[in-house]
Amino acid sequence: IKLVANTNMSVLILCESGTGKELFAQAIHNSSSVCKGPFVAVSCAAIPRDLIESELFGYVGGAFTGARKGGMIGKMELAKGGTLFLDEIGDMPLALQAKILRCIQEKAIEPVGSNTTQKVDVRIIAATNQNLVEAIEKGKFRRDLYYRLNVYPIIMPSLRERKEDIPLLAEHFALRAAGEMGKVPVTFTEAALDILKNHTWPGNIRELENCIERLTIIASGTAITPEQARLMKKYTDKVVISYDSD
């Protein structure tokens, strides 16, 4: 992060879901020369396909049915002078990828319904949990966009690959959960920490945070025992929801 932060090159963060990629993107922005500019995050998977173009590039008034009379500024323009974080870039529609590529190359946007371009100087950071090389072979991702984004790749390790961080993260989440719930933080015995460190954490840091929040609810102010840690581990492995059909 320190090496790449003070450059203007594009960054591609590759990681599993739940590893905190937006925090890494924010850290790059905060350490960069554009840190005083805005940091705008966009989830390419969360925006409906028929709206993502207008969300990114904005639109002029009357561009389509239901458009605001005065138009709307897109996320790309909102990030002007700062950083645009394109999360889940692998889910971006193929038709829009060409427009994103042109925007990065030309440092300009063309709002929906407009025939003029606007200059925008934006630092691009993208992230995905998908294998983009496989997506390229399947025709689902543009090869030229991949190489434009993949100037400086950062491969973030999963939580099971950095188990030495689990005690520090558990303590951090315990303090935060207690503060939010108005409870006394839980603490952890060494044996309980060993249980947590031996879990595979398929949901990564997000799963660990959820686990600590549940422990805070049921065991506020106590030292977590191995039995409680095993219970939470078992709970995260498989959750069975039953209900009465009546």
Side-chain angles (χ1 to χ4, degrees):
I1 288 176
K2 290 180 180 178
L3 288 171
V4 75
N6 286 319
T7 71
N8 62 355
M9 66 176 61
S10 299
V11 175
L12 180 61
I13 300 175
L14 304 168
C15 60
E16 295 180 7
S17 179
T19 51
K21 51 187 177 293
E22 186 170 340
L23 290 177
F24 271 68
Q26 183 78 62
I28 294 172
H29 172 77
N30 292 344
S31 301
S32 72
S33 59
V34 296
C35 60
K36 294 183 179 179
F39 176 85
V40 179
V42 178
S43 174
C44 299
I47 303 174
R49 286 177 173 264
D50 55 343
L51 295 179
I52 190 169
E53 183 176 4
S54 59
E55 284 287 326
L56 282 175
F57 302 110
Y59 59 82
V60 297
F64 50 84
T65 302
R68 296 178 185 175
K69 185 177 180 180
M72 187 187 76
I73 295 176
K75 296 293 194 295
M76 188 75 71
E77 190 172 352
L78 287 175
K80 189 176 181 178
T83 300
L84 179 68
F85 175 51
L86 296 173
D87 195 9
E88 306 298 348
I89 188 70
D91 291 298
M92 177 174 285
L94 193 61
L96 188 58
Q97 292 175 25
K99 194 164 184 178
I100 282 286
L101 175 63
R102 183 174 180 274
C103 172
I104 296 173
Q105 291 175 333
E106 304 296 332
K107 294 188 180 297
I109 61 171
E110 185 176 309
V112 176
S114 174
N115 55 9
T116 59
T117 59
Q118 303 174 19
K119 286 291 184 180
V120 288
D121 188 12
V122 176
R123 172 56 168 309
I124 300 292
I125 301 176
T128 183
N129 58 10
Q130 297 187 27
N131 187 323
L132 293 184
V133 175
E134 288 184 0
I136 291 170
E137 298 302 322
K138 294 177 181 178
K140 295 181 179 180
F141 201 84
R142 291 180 63 102
R143 188 181 301 273
D144 48 4
L145 178 58
Y146 171 73
Y147 286 115
R148 175 61 64 178
L149 294 172
N150 195 32
V151 178
Y152 193 96
I154 294 178
I155 301 174
M156 292 176 55
S158 63
L159 187 57
R160 62 184 171 275
E161 296 174 290
R162 43 185 287 213
K163 291 184 176 182
E164 66 278 4
D165 290 342
I166 289 177
L168 181 63
L169 288 168
E171 180 183 358
H172 169 72
F173 291 139
L175 289 171
R176 187 164 74 181
E180 292 175 350
M181 298 179 193
K183 293 179 176 290
V184 179
V186 295
T187 57
F188 301 88
T189 64
E190 286 299 321
L193 286 175
D194 287 339
I195 297 295
L196 296 180
K197 285 191 283 188
N198 287 327
H199 183 46
T200 56
W201 299 109
N204 289 295
I205 295 175
R206 186 181 295 120
E207 181 187 356
L208 175 63
E209 181 179 13
N210 292 344
C211 175
I212 302 306
E213 288 177 351
R214 286 193 294 272
L215 286 170
T216 302
I217 292 172
I218 67 173
S220 173
T222 64
I224 300 303
T225 64
E227 289 72 23
Q228 289 171 314
R230 287 192 189 95
L231 178 63
M232 287 298 100
K233 174 183 175 298
K234 182 178 180 181
Y235 184 82
T236 58
D237 285 341
K238 184 176 182 180
V239 178
V240 179
I241 301 175
S242 62
Y243 62 93
D244 188 336
S245 59
D246 294 332

PDB file of all heavy atoms in Angstrom, residues 1 4-5 11-13 19-32 34 38-41 83-87 123-127 154 156:
ATOM      1  N   ILE A   1       0.831  -1.198   0.000  1.00  0.00           N
ATOM      2  CA  ILE A   1       0.000   0.000   0.000  1.00  0.00           C
ATOM      3  C   ILE A   1       0.869   1.253   0.000  1.00  0.00           C
ATOM      4  O   ILE A   1       0.615   2.195  -0.747  1.00  0.00           O
ATOM      5  CB  ILE A   1      -0.941  -0.005   1.223  1.00  0.00           C
ATOM      6  CG1 ILE A   1      -2.048  -1.059   1.017  1.00  0.00           C
ATOM      7  CG2 ILE A   1      -1.564   1.368   1.452  1.00  0.00           C
ATOM      8  CD1 ILE A   1      -2.958  -1.222   2.195  1.00  0.00           C
ATOM      9  N   VAL A   4       2.421   1.889  -3.509  1.00  0.00           N
ATOM     10  CA  VAL A   4       1.547   2.285  -4.610  1.00  0.00           C
ATOM     11  C   VAL A   4       0.726   3.533  -4.310  1.00  0.00           C
ATOM     12  O   VAL A   4       0.245   4.194  -5.227  1.00  0.00           O
ATOM     13  CB  VAL A   4       0.604   1.120  -4.976  1.00  0.00           C
ATOM     14  CG1 VAL A   4      -0.501   0.953  -3.946  1.00  0.00           C
ATOM     15  CG2 VAL A   4       0.009   1.295  -6.366  1.00  0.00           C
ATOM     16  N   ALA A   5       0.585   3.886  -3.041  1.00  0.00           N
ATOM     17  CA  ALA A   5      -0.332   4.963  -2.662  1.00  0.00           C
ATOM     18  C   ALA A   5      -0.008   6.292  -3.326  1.00  0.00           C
ATOM     19  O   ALA A   5      -0.903   6.997  -3.799  1.00  0.00           O
ATOM     20  CB  ALA A   5      -0.356   5.120  -1.144  1.00  0.00           C
ATOM     21  N   VAL A  11      -5.174   0.209  -9.229  1.00  0.00           N
ATOM     22  CA  VAL A  11      -4.890  -0.898  -8.320  1.00  0.00           C
ATOM     23  C   VAL A  11      -6.040  -1.899  -8.408  1.00  0.00           C
ATOM     24  O   VAL A  11      -7.212  -1.516  -8.440  1.00  0.00           O
ATOM     25  CB  VAL A  11      -4.735  -0.409  -6.865  1.00  0.00           C
ATOM     26  CG1 VAL A  11      -4.553  -1.583  -5.917  1.00  0.00           C
ATOM     27  CG2 VAL A  11      -3.571   0.563  -6.745  1.00  0.00           C
ATOM     28  N   LEU A  12      -5.690  -3.181  -8.449  1.00  0.00           N
ATOM     29  CA  LEU A  12      -6.696  -4.246  -8.444  1.00  0.00           C
ATOM     30  C   LEU A  12      -6.481  -5.100  -7.205  1.00  0.00           C
ATOM     31  O   LEU A  12      -5.429  -5.718  -7.036  1.00  0.00           O
ATOM     32  CB  LEU A  12      -6.582  -5.104  -9.705  1.00  0.00           C
ATOM     33  CG  LEU A  12      -7.587  -6.258  -9.830  1.00  0.00           C
ATOM     34  CD1 LEU A  12      -9.016  -5.731  -9.860  1.00  0.00           C
ATOM     35  CD2 LEU A  12      -7.293  -7.094 -11.071  1.00  0.00           C
ATOM     36  N   ILE A  13      -7.488  -5.121  -6.318  1.00  0.00           N
ATOM     37  CA  ILE A  13      -7.423  -5.905  -5.096  1.00  0.00           C
ATOM     38  C   ILE A  13      -8.125  -7.232  -5.338  1.00  0.00           C
ATOM     39  O   ILE A  13      -9.300  -7.267  -5.716  1.00  0.00           O
ATOM     40  CB  ILE A  13      -8.085  -5.165  -3.922  1.00  0.00           C
ATOM     41  CG1 ILE A  13      -7.371  -3.830  -3.682  1.00  0.00           C
ATOM     42  CG2 ILE A  13      -8.058  -6.013  -2.657  1.00  0.00           C
ATOM     43  CD1 ILE A  13      -8.038  -2.965  -2.620  1.00  0.00           C
ATOM     44  N   THR A  19     -12.898 -10.104   3.564  1.00  0.00           N
ATOM     45  CA  THR A  19     -11.536  -9.840   4.039  1.00  0.00           C
ATOM     46  C   THR A  19     -11.277  -8.361   4.332  1.00  0.00           C
ATOM     47  O   THR A  19     -10.199  -8.011   4.802  1.00  0.00           O
ATOM     48  CB  THR A  19     -10.503 -10.319   3.012  1.00  0.00           C
ATOM     49  OG1 THR A  19     -10.825  -9.782   1.729  1.00  0.00           O
ATOM     50  CG2 THR A  19     -10.493 -11.833   2.918  1.00  0.00           C
ATOM     51  N   GLY A  20     -12.234  -7.493   4.047  1.00  0.00           N
ATOM     52  CA  GLY A  20     -12.059  -6.076   4.344  1.00  0.00           C
ATOM     53  C   GLY A  20     -11.391  -5.298   3.235  1.00  0.00           C
ATOM     54  O   GLY A  20     -10.594  -4.399   3.495  1.00  0.00           O
ATOM     55  N   LYS A  21     -11.716  -5.625   1.991  1.00  0.00           N
ATOM     56  CA  LYS A  21     -11.049  -4.973   0.862  1.00  0.00           C
ATOM     57  C   LYS A  21     -11.312  -3.474   0.787  1.00  0.00           C
ATOM     58  O   LYS A  21     -10.453  -2.709   0.353  1.00  0.00           O
ATOM     59  CB  LYS A  21     -11.421  -5.648  -0.453  1.00  0.00           C
ATOM     60  CG  LYS A  21     -12.899  -5.847  -0.717  1.00  0.00           C
ATOM     61  CD  LYS A  21     -13.114  -6.667  -1.972  1.00  0.00           C
ATOM     62  CE  LYS A  21     -14.582  -6.967  -2.237  1.00  0.00           C
ATOM     63  NZ  LYS A  21     -15.157  -7.874  -1.213  1.00  0.00           N
ATOM     64  N   GLU A  22     -12.501  -3.038   1.234  1.00  0.00           N
ATOM     65  CA  GLU A  22     -12.772  -1.602   1.197  1.00  0.00           C
ATOM     66  C   GLU A  22     -11.875  -0.847   2.173  1.00  0.00           C
ATOM     67  O   GLU A  22     -11.473   0.288   1.915  1.00  0.00           O
ATOM     68  CB  GLU A  22     -14.244  -1.314   1.504  1.00  0.00           C
ATOM     69  CG  GLU A  22     -14.595   0.152   1.340  1.00  0.00           C
ATOM     70  CD  GLU A  22     -16.085   0.455   1.393  1.00  0.00           C
ATOM     71  OE1 GLU A  22     -16.895  -0.479   1.190  1.00  0.00           O
ATOM     72  OE2 GLU A  22     -16.446   1.620   1.621  1.00  0.00           O
ATOM     73  N   LEU A  23     -11.543  -1.472   3.294  1.00  0.00           N
ATOM     74  CA  LEU A  23     -10.624  -0.842   4.246  1.00  0.00           C
ATOM     75  C   LEU A  23      -9.239  -0.674   3.621  1.00  0.00           C
ATOM     76  O   LEU A  23      -8.564   0.339   3.837  1.00  0.00           O
ATOM     77  CB  LEU A  23     -10.522  -1.680   5.524  1.00  0.00           C
ATOM     78  CG  LEU A  23     -11.757  -1.694   6.424  1.00  0.00           C
ATOM     79  CD1 LEU A  23     -11.526  -2.617   7.611  1.00  0.00           C
ATOM     80  CD2 LEU A  23     -12.110  -0.303   6.894  1.00  0.00           C
ATOM     81  N   PHE A  24      -8.813  -1.668   2.834  1.00  0.00           N
ATOM     82  CA  PHE A  24      -7.528  -1.559   2.154  1.00  0.00           C
ATOM     83  C   PHE A  24      -7.573  -0.440   1.117  1.00  0.00           C
ATOM     84  O   PHE A  24      -6.627   0.333   0.980  1.00  0.00           O
ATOM     85  CB  PHE A  24      -7.176  -2.882   1.480  1.00  0.00           C
ATOM     86  CG  PHE A  24      -6.415  -3.840   2.371  1.00  0.00           C
ATOM     87  CD1 PHE A  24      -7.024  -4.420   3.464  1.00  0.00           C
ATOM     88  CD2 PHE A  24      -5.100  -4.143   2.109  1.00  0.00           C
ATOM     89  CE1 PHE A  24      -6.334  -5.291   4.286  1.00  0.00           C
ATOM     90  CE2 PHE A  24      -4.395  -5.021   2.928  1.00  0.00           C
ATOM     91  CZ  PHE A  24      -5.015  -5.592   4.014  1.00  0.00           C
ATOM     92  N   ALA A  25      -8.681  -0.370   0.369  1.00  0.00           N
ATOM     93  CA  ALA A  25      -8.829   0.695  -0.621  1.00  0.00           C
ATOM     94  C   ALA A  25      -8.819   2.065   0.052  1.00  0.00           C
ATOM     95  O   ALA A  25      -8.189   3.011  -0.430  1.00  0.00           O
ATOM     96  CB  ALA A  25     -10.126   0.492  -1.406  1.00  0.00           C
ATOM     97  N   GLN A  26      -9.511   2.171   1.187  1.00  0.00           N
ATOM     98  CA  GLN A  26      -9.534   3.427   1.938  1.00  0.00           C
ATOM     99  C   GLN A  26      -8.131   3.780   2.444  1.00  0.00           C
ATOM    100  O   GLN A  26      -7.741   4.954   2.440  1.00  0.00           O
ATOM    101  CB  GLN A  26     -10.493   3.309   3.113  1.00  0.00           C
ATOM    102  CG  GLN A  26     -10.653   4.577   3.942  1.00  0.00           C
ATOM    103  CD  GLN A  26     -11.555   5.599   3.292  1.00  0.00           C
ATOM    104  OE1 GLN A  26     -12.730   5.335   3.079  1.00  0.00           O
ATOM    105  NE2 GLN A  26     -11.018   6.765   2.974  1.00  0.00           N
ATOM    106  N   ALA A  27      -7.364   2.766   2.857  1.00  0.00           N
ATOM    107  CA  ALA A  27      -6.001   3.007   3.331  1.00  0.00           C
ATOM    108  C   ALA A  27      -5.110   3.530   2.212  1.00  0.00           C
ATOM    109  O   ALA A  27      -4.270   4.417   2.424  1.00  0.00           O
ATOM    110  CB  ALA A  27      -5.423   1.715   3.908  1.00  0.00           C
ATOM    111  N   ILE A  28      -5.281   2.996   1.000  1.00  0.00           N
ATOM    112  CA  ILE A  28      -4.525   3.496  -0.146  1.00  0.00           C
ATOM    113  C   ILE A  28      -4.869   4.962  -0.391  1.00  0.00           C
ATOM    114  O   ILE A  28      -3.995   5.809  -0.592  1.00  0.00           O
ATOM    115  CB  ILE A  28      -4.814   2.661  -1.406  1.00  0.00           C
ATOM    116  CG1 ILE A  28      -4.282   1.240  -1.220  1.00  0.00           C
ATOM    117  CG2 ILE A  28      -4.179   3.293  -2.642  1.00  0.00           C
ATOM    118  CD1 ILE A  28      -4.686   0.291  -2.338  1.00  0.00           C
ATOM    119  N   HIS A  29      -6.159   5.263  -0.368  1.00  0.00           N
ATOM    120  CA  HIS A  29      -6.603   6.646  -0.580  1.00  0.00           C
ATOM    121  C   HIS A  29      -6.036   7.575   0.493  1.00  0.00           C
ATOM    122  O   HIS A  29      -5.522   8.664   0.185  1.00  0.00           O
ATOM    123  CB  HIS A  29      -8.130   6.703  -0.575  1.00  0.00           C
ATOM    124  CG  HIS A  29      -8.677   8.099  -0.585  1.00  0.00           C
ATOM    125  ND1 HIS A  29      -8.718   8.882  -1.713  1.00  0.00           N
ATOM    126  CD2 HIS A  29      -9.213   8.861   0.432  1.00  0.00           C
ATOM    127  CE1 HIS A  29      -9.245  10.053  -1.421  1.00  0.00           C
ATOM    128  NE2 HIS A  29      -9.550  10.063  -0.134  1.00  0.00           N
ATOM    129  N   ASN A  30      -6.125   7.149   1.760  1.00  0.00           N
ATOM    130  CA  ASN A  30      -5.674   8.006   2.862  1.00  0.00           C
ATOM    131  C   ASN A  30      -4.179   8.286   2.828  1.00  0.00           C
ATOM    132  O   ASN A  30      -3.725   9.283   3.380  1.00  0.00           O
ATOM    133  CB  ASN A  30      -6.048   7.365   4.203  1.00  0.00           C
ATOM    134  CG  ASN A  30      -7.539   7.335   4.443  1.00  0.00           C
ATOM    135  OD1 ASN A  30      -8.303   8.030   3.785  1.00  0.00           O
ATOM    136  ND2 ASN A  30      -7.971   6.503   5.383  1.00  0.00           N
ATOM    137  N   SER A  31      -3.422   7.387   2.193  1.00  0.00           N
ATOM    138  CA  SER A  31      -1.968   7.559   2.110  1.00  0.00           C
ATOM    139  C   SER A  31      -1.530   8.173   0.792  1.00  0.00           C
ATOM    140  O   SER A  31      -0.332   8.285   0.537  1.00  0.00           O
ATOM    141  CB  SER A  31      -1.270   6.201   2.295  1.00  0.00           C
ATOM    142  OG  SER A  31      -1.601   5.622   3.531  1.00  0.00           O
ATOM    143  N   SER A  32      -2.479   8.564  -0.037  1.00  0.00           N
ATOM    144  CA  SER A  32      -2.152   9.051  -1.381  1.00  0.00           C
ATOM    145  C   SER A  32      -2.099  10.569  -1.434  1.00  0.00           C
ATOM    146  O   SER A  32      -2.452  11.271  -0.484  1.00  0.00           O
ATOM    147  CB  SER A  32      -3.198   8.541  -2.376  1.00  0.00           C
ATOM    148  OG  SER A  32      -4.428   9.223  -2.191  1.00  0.00           O
ATOM    149  N   VAL A  34      -4.030  12.291  -3.167  1.00  0.00           N
ATOM    150  CA  VAL A  34      -5.397  12.810  -3.328  1.00  0.00           C
ATOM    151  C   VAL A  34      -6.227  12.546  -2.074  1.00  0.00           C
ATOM    152  O   VAL A  34      -7.453  12.509  -2.137  1.00  0.00           O
ATOM    153  CB  VAL A  34      -6.087  12.185  -4.569  1.00  0.00           C
ATOM    154  CG1 VAL A  34      -5.357  12.581  -5.828  1.00  0.00           C
ATOM    155  CG2 VAL A  34      -6.178  10.661  -4.449  1.00  0.00           C
ATOM    156  N   PRO A  38     -12.392  13.296  -2.327  1.00  0.00           N
ATOM    157  CA  PRO A  38     -13.400  12.324  -1.877  1.00  0.00           C
ATOM    158  C   PRO A  38     -12.985  10.883  -2.129  1.00  0.00           C
ATOM    159  O   PRO A  38     -12.207  10.600  -3.046  1.00  0.00           O
ATOM    160  CB  PRO A  38     -14.631  12.690  -2.711  1.00  0.00           C
ATOM    161  CG  PRO A  38     -14.077  13.332  -3.938  1.00  0.00           C
ATOM    162  CD  PRO A  38     -12.841  14.057  -3.514  1.00  0.00           C
ATOM    163  N   PHE A  39     -13.495   9.984  -1.306  1.00  0.00           N
ATOM    164  CA  PHE A  39     -13.374   8.540  -1.525  1.00  0.00           C
ATOM    165  C   PHE A  39     -14.784   8.028  -1.759  1.00  0.00           C
ATOM    166  O   PHE A  39     -15.621   8.061  -0.851  1.00  0.00           O
ATOM    167  CB  PHE A  39     -12.733   7.848  -0.324  1.00  0.00           C
ATOM    168  CG  PHE A  39     -12.669   6.341  -0.449  1.00  0.00           C
ATOM    169  CD1 PHE A  39     -11.615   5.740  -1.112  1.00  0.00           C
ATOM    170  CD2 PHE A  39     -13.666   5.541   0.088  1.00  0.00           C
ATOM    171  CE1 PHE A  39     -11.547   4.349  -1.229  1.00  0.00           C
ATOM    172  CE2 PHE A  39     -13.608   4.162  -0.020  1.00  0.00           C
ATOM    173  CZ  PHE A  39     -12.551   3.570  -0.688  1.00  0.00           C
ATOM    174  N   VAL A  40     -15.063   7.576  -2.965  1.00  0.00           N
ATOM    175  CA  VAL A  40     -16.404   7.141  -3.336  1.00  0.00           C
ATOM    176  C   VAL A  40     -16.366   5.654  -3.660  1.00  0.00           C
ATOM    177  O   VAL A  40     -15.609   5.224  -4.531  1.00  0.00           O
ATOM    178  CB  VAL A  40     -16.937   7.931  -4.547  1.00  0.00           C
ATOM    179  CG1 VAL A  40     -18.336   7.443  -4.936  1.00  0.00           C
ATOM    180  CG2 VAL A  40     -16.968   9.428  -4.233  1.00  0.00           C
ATOM    181  N   ALA A  41     -17.167   4.874  -2.960  1.00  0.00           N
ATOM    182  CA  ALA A  41     -17.209   3.423  -3.159  1.00  0.00           C
ATOM    183  C   ALA A  41     -18.496   3.030  -3.880  1.00  0.00           C
ATOM    184  O   ALA A  41     -19.574   3.517  -3.540  1.00  0.00           O
ATOM    185  CB  ALA A  41     -17.116   2.693  -1.816  1.00  0.00           C
ATOM    186  N   THR A  83     -10.650   9.392  -5.181  1.00  0.00           N
ATOM    187  CA  THR A  83     -10.560   7.975  -5.530  1.00  0.00           C
ATOM    188  C   THR A  83     -11.947   7.379  -5.737  1.00  0.00           C
ATOM    189  O   THR A  83     -12.855   7.627  -4.942  1.00  0.00           O
ATOM    190  CB  THR A  83      -9.848   7.188  -4.406  1.00  0.00           C
ATOM    191  OG1 THR A  83      -8.523   7.712  -4.227  1.00  0.00           O
ATOM    192  CG2 THR A  83      -9.758   5.703  -4.744  1.00  0.00           C
ATOM    193  N   LEU A  84     -12.089   6.598  -6.797  1.00  0.00           N
ATOM    194  CA  LEU A  84     -13.307   5.828  -7.030  1.00  0.00           C
ATOM    195  C   LEU A  84     -12.973   4.359  -6.804  1.00  0.00           C
ATOM    196  O   LEU A  84     -12.103   3.802  -7.459  1.00  0.00           O
ATOM    197  CB  LEU A  84     -13.824   6.030  -8.455  1.00  0.00           C
ATOM    198  CG  LEU A  84     -15.103   5.240  -8.807  1.00  0.00           C
ATOM    199  CD1 LEU A  84     -16.292   5.780  -8.023  1.00  0.00           C
ATOM    200  CD2 LEU A  84     -15.382   5.300 -10.302  1.00  0.00           C
ATOM    201  N   PHE A  85     -13.685   3.741  -5.851  1.00  0.00           N
ATOM    202  CA  PHE A  85     -13.462   2.336  -5.537  1.00  0.00           C
ATOM    203  C   PHE A  85     -14.568   1.515  -6.169  1.00  0.00           C
ATOM    204  O   PHE A  85     -15.739   1.617  -5.789  1.00  0.00           O
ATOM    205  CB  PHE A  85     -13.443   2.133  -4.022  1.00  0.00           C
ATOM    206  CG  PHE A  85     -13.336   0.695  -3.597  1.00  0.00           C
ATOM    207  CD1 PHE A  85     -12.353  -0.131  -4.119  1.00  0.00           C
ATOM    208  CD2 PHE A  85     -14.218   0.155  -2.667  1.00  0.00           C
ATOM    209  CE1 PHE A  85     -12.251  -1.464  -3.737  1.00  0.00           C
ATOM    210  CE2 PHE A  85     -14.130  -1.161  -2.264  1.00  0.00           C
ATOM    211  CZ  PHE A  85     -13.142  -1.977  -2.811  1.00  0.00           C
ATOM    212  N   LEU A  86     -14.220   0.705  -7.163  1.00  0.00           N
ATOM    213  CA  LEU A  86     -15.177  -0.148  -7.863  1.00  0.00           C
ATOM    214  C   LEU A  86     -15.116  -1.550  -7.263  1.00  0.00           C
ATOM    215  O   LEU A  86     -14.287  -2.374  -7.645  1.00  0.00           O
ATOM    216  CB  LEU A  86     -14.854  -0.186  -9.362  1.00  0.00           C
ATOM    217  CG  LEU A  86     -14.978   1.145 -10.109  1.00  0.00           C
ATOM    218  CD1 LEU A  86     -14.456   1.002 -11.542  1.00  0.00           C
ATOM    219  CD2 LEU A  86     -16.419   1.637 -10.113  1.00  0.00           C
ATOM    220  N   ASP A  87     -15.985  -1.798  -6.303  1.00  0.00           N
ATOM    221  CA  ASP A  87     -16.020  -3.096  -5.643  1.00  0.00           C
ATOM    222  C   ASP A  87     -16.786  -4.091  -6.510  1.00  0.00           C
ATOM    223  O   ASP A  87     -17.718  -3.728  -7.228  1.00  0.00           O
ATOM    224  CB  ASP A  87     -16.693  -2.954  -4.281  1.00  0.00           C
ATOM    225  CG  ASP A  87     -16.452  -4.156  -3.394  1.00  0.00           C
ATOM    226  OD1 ASP A  87     -15.629  -5.017  -3.760  1.00  0.00           O
ATOM    227  OD2 ASP A  87     -17.102  -4.241  -2.327  1.00  0.00           O
ATOM    228  N   ARG A 123      -8.661   8.633  -9.377  1.00  0.00           N
ATOM    229  CA  ARG A 123      -7.839   7.459  -9.133  1.00  0.00           C
ATOM    230  C   ARG A 123      -8.768   6.256  -9.022  1.00  0.00           C
ATOM    231  O   ARG A 123      -9.732   6.265  -8.262  1.00  0.00           O
ATOM    232  CB  ARG A 123      -7.044   7.652  -7.835  1.00  0.00           C
ATOM    233  CG  ARG A 123      -6.234   6.477  -7.243  1.00  0.00           C
ATOM    234  CD  ARG A 123      -5.304   5.855  -7.980  1.00  0.00           C
ATOM    235  NE  ARG A 123      -4.348   4.946  -7.489  1.00  0.00           N
ATOM    236  CZ  ARG A 123      -3.482   5.056  -6.465  1.00  0.00           C
ATOM    237  NH1 ARG A 123      -3.474   6.083  -5.675  1.00  0.00           N
ATOM    238  NH2 ARG A 123      -2.597   4.125  -6.236  1.00  0.00           N
ATOM    239  N   ILE A 124      -8.486   5.203  -9.789  1.00  0.00           N
ATOM    240  CA  ILE A 124      -9.337   4.023  -9.807  1.00  0.00           C
ATOM    241  C   ILE A 124      -8.713   2.890  -8.986  1.00  0.00           C
ATOM    242  O   ILE A 124      -7.565   2.506  -9.195  1.00  0.00           O
ATOM    243  CB  ILE A 124      -9.585   3.512 -11.238  1.00  0.00           C
ATOM    244  CG1 ILE A 124     -10.260   4.588 -12.088  1.00  0.00           C
ATOM    245  CG2 ILE A 124     -10.424   2.237 -11.211  1.00  0.00           C
ATOM    246  CD1 ILE A 124     -11.674   4.910 -11.676  1.00  0.00           C
ATOM    247  N   ILE A 125      -9.498   2.373  -8.031  1.00  0.00           N
ATOM    248  CA  ILE A 125      -9.142   1.149  -7.314  1.00  0.00           C
ATOM    249  C   ILE A 125     -10.293   0.175  -7.511  1.00  0.00           C
ATOM    250  O   ILE A 125     -11.450   0.528  -7.276  1.00  0.00           O
ATOM    251  CB  ILE A 125      -8.917   1.399  -5.814  1.00  0.00           C
ATOM    252  CG1 ILE A 125      -7.796   2.417  -5.593  1.00  0.00           C
ATOM    253  CG2 ILE A 125      -8.588   0.092  -5.097  1.00  0.00           C
ATOM    254  CD1 ILE A 125      -7.581   2.784  -4.129  1.00  0.00           C
ATOM    255  N   ALA A 126     -10.005  -1.003  -7.994  1.00  0.00           N
ATOM    256  CA  ALA A 126     -11.039  -2.012  -8.217  1.00  0.00           C
ATOM    257  C   ALA A 126     -10.755  -3.229  -7.349  1.00  0.00           C
ATOM    258  O   ALA A 126      -9.621  -3.467  -6.929  1.00  0.00           O
ATOM    259  CB  ALA A 126     -11.088  -2.414  -9.686  1.00  0.00           C
ATOM    260  N   ALA A 127     -11.798  -4.000  -7.081  1.00  0.00           N
ATOM    261  CA  ALA A 127     -11.641  -5.204  -6.260  1.00  0.00           C
ATOM    262  C   ALA A 127     -12.619  -6.262  -6.729  1.00  0.00           C
ATOM    263  O   ALA A 127     -13.697  -5.958  -7.244  1.00  0.00           O
ATOM    264  CB  ALA A 127     -11.870  -4.886  -4.781  1.00  0.00           C
ATOM    265  N   ILE A 154      -2.958  -6.313  -5.728  1.00  0.00           N
ATOM    266  CA  ILE A 154      -2.744  -6.596  -4.315  1.00  0.00           C
ATOM    267  C   ILE A 154      -3.581  -7.823  -3.972  1.00  0.00           C
ATOM    268  O   ILE A 154      -4.806  -7.795  -4.076  1.00  0.00           O
ATOM    269  CB  ILE A 154      -3.154  -5.419  -3.416  1.00  0.00           C
ATOM    270  CG1 ILE A 154      -2.239  -4.224  -3.667  1.00  0.00           C
ATOM    271  CG2 ILE A 154      -3.101  -5.827  -1.943  1.00  0.00           C
ATOM    272  CD1 ILE A 154      -2.592  -2.991  -2.862  1.00  0.00           C
ATOM    273  N   MET A 156      -4.941 -10.042  -1.233  1.00  0.00           N
ATOM    274  CA  MET A 156      -5.157 -10.029   0.208  1.00  0.00           C
ATOM    275  C   MET A 156      -5.343 -11.442   0.728  1.00  0.00           C
ATOM    276  O   MET A 156      -6.151 -12.202   0.188  1.00  0.00           O
ATOM    277  CB  MET A 156      -6.383  -9.181   0.551  1.00  0.00           C
ATOM    278  CG  MET A 156      -6.202  -7.705   0.297  1.00  0.00           C
ATOM    279  SD  MET A 156      -7.726  -6.769   0.603  1.00  0.00           S
ATOM    280  CE  MET A 156      -8.090  -7.268   2.291  1.00  0.00           C
TER     281      MET A 156
END
